[in-house]
Amino acid sequence: MTKTSKTPVTILGLGAMGRALASAFCTAGLPTTVWNRTPGTHADLIAAGATSAPSVEKAIRAGGPIITVLLDHASVQETLDPVADRMVGRQLINLTSTAPGEARELAAWAADHAIDYLDGGIMAVPSMIGTPGAAILYSGSRQVFDTHRAILELLAAAEYFGDDAGLASTYDFALLATMYAMFGGFLHGAALMRSVGVSATQFGERAAAWVTAMTQSLPHQGRVIDTADYTDPVQSIAFHKSAIDAIYRASRDAGVSSDFVAPLKNLLDRQVADGHGTLGFERTFEELS
Ligand code: NDP
């Protein structure tokens, strides 16, 4: 059964993201207990109604789900290990970014201590928390998700993927990998444009429109990859190799590093050399796994 807005929550970690989450809970009127390794950084939250705990042990006494928003896997383990025996029967929601294997490790650690574990990947920056467009992806304990869905929705749209605790972070990292490749391409393009005197600001406006239009093809590309039939391409690998080769030369001529373009060029070169030039660009996927 989904708990109501009177559920007490404990937040461990008051960096930029932890503060945003705690603030959203305070705004919604939830009894919110907060702890941070470095004390004294959250007067604003106290003013908003949060209770500050001087230690992790005291913070988790407040009852309700315990939410960790720490730097990384190691900091979660370091923070919770000393209080593990006082968390028996409790529900832990870890929103710290962890690799899938680390999330599974934490789930196993939690199971060993009879703690119900839900892992989450935050697809938002702190200023987006509590606004439309923010999403948090969850996997692990269905029971924890179902019980606390209403309060999790106060933070961001909440979606549950399954009981494998590593699933949410796999989605998280796959989406971030997509984002970083796009950001890298933008940096490369901005460097190229600077060589002809166009500012990165101007280029950013244009690139946003172009990338938005191009992303419409992603579901189609996904379907092609799933069929593994690359024989009827819109444009072939050989066509794309020719484009990337030209971008490579243009970049070299403009004195722009090939750091972002070279990996794709290598993948395309290899496929053409191996006789796959007539197949579709999506066949590149087969080189990756
Ligand atoms: P910050 O760097 O702002 O804060 C890190 C927090 O972790 C601080 O509260 C810090 O405490 C604490 N911490 C670090 N090491 C330890 C330790 N060994 N023991 C106890 N506490 C420790 O990071 P964010 O708040 O921005 O991010 C928190 C998590 O949220 C990260 O995993 C991040 O990847 C994830 N996230 C963040 C996003 C963002 O845009 N900020 C977006 C999506 C996910 P102290 O104040 O004492 O240093």
Side-chain angles (χ1 to χ4, degrees):
M1 187 180 144
T2 294
K3 291 276 178 79
T4 66
S5 61
K6 290 297 162 207
T7 308
V9 290
T10 293
I11 297 201
L12 305 179
L14 296 173
M17 187 53 85
R19 281 203 301 274
L21 302 183
S23 172
F25 285 144
C26 288
T27 301
L30 266 65
T32 306
T33 301
V34 295
W35 170 86
N36 196 52
R37 176 182 63 174
T38 306
T41 54
H42 46 277
D44 52 334
L45 288 173
I46 309 301
T51 302
S52 178
S55 65
V56 178
E57 190 185 348
K58 290 206 167 112
I60 64 173
R61 276 189 211 155
I66 298 158
I67 300 178
T68 41
V69 206
L70 299 165
L71 183 65
D72 56 11
H73 172 76
S75 57
V76 176
Q77 207 77 76
E78 199 177 306
T79 301
L80 296 183
D81 259 337
V83 295
D85 56 348
R86 270 145 286 173
M87 290 175 63
V88 171
R90 299 290 299 277
Q91 295 179 316
L92 172 62
I93 302 173
N94 180 35
L95 299 183
T96 306
S97 298
T98 50
E102 294 169 342
R104 291 182 188 114
E105 215 177 279
L106 278 167
W109 170 89
D112 283 347
H113 294 89
I115 299 163
D116 212 358
Y117 182 85
L118 181 67
D119 199 85
I122 304 174
M123 308 312 301
V125 295
S127 61
M128 290 166 69
I129 294 301
T131 69
I136 304 183
L137 316 179
Y138 295 94
S139 67
S141 167
R142 170 113 231 175
Q143 163 104 18
V144 177
F145 181 77
D146 286 345
T147 305
H148 298 297
R149 184 171 193 155
I151 64 165
L152 296 176
E153 295 273 4
L154 296 170
L155 306 175
E159 192 174 354
Y160 177 80
F161 289 92
D163 60 8
D164 170 5
L167 259 180
S169 67
T170 306
Y171 272 97
D172 183 357
F173 285 7
L175 290 168
L176 290 180
T178 307
M179 178 193 81
Y180 279 121
M182 185 260 290
F183 283 169
F186 169 67
L187 297 180
H188 186 92
L192 207 47
M193 292 311 295
R194 174 180 281 181
S195 74
V196 290
V198 175
S199 75
T201 309
Q202 263 179 294
F203 179 61
E205 300 289 340
R206 191 170 292 274
W210 171 246
V211 169
T212 302
M214 286 298 97
T215 56
Q216 303 313 303
S217 72
L218 295 181
H220 171 73
Q221 291 189 36
R223 283 191 292 277
V224 171
I225 289 167
D226 286 341
T227 62
D229 178 0
Y230 308 111
T231 56
D232 185 22
V234 178
Q235 285 159 338
S236 67
I237 289 173
F239 173 91
H240 286 290
K241 172 174 158 46
S242 157
I244 288 290
D245 284 348
I247 293 168
Y248 192 84
R249 289 194 304 276
S251 304
R252 187 195 52 207
D253 293 348
V256 172
S257 149
S258 63
D259 283 350
F260 282 117
V261 171
L264 184 55
K265 176 171 161 47
N266 291 340
L267 282 167
L268 297 181
D269 285 350
R270 195 160 76 220
Q271 292 180 94
V272 169
D274 290 347
H276 302 303
T278 58
L279 300 179
F281 177 79
E282 294 84 355
R283 200 240 159 236
T284 307
F285 172 81
E286 304 293 342
E287 298 285 309
L288 302 179
S289 56

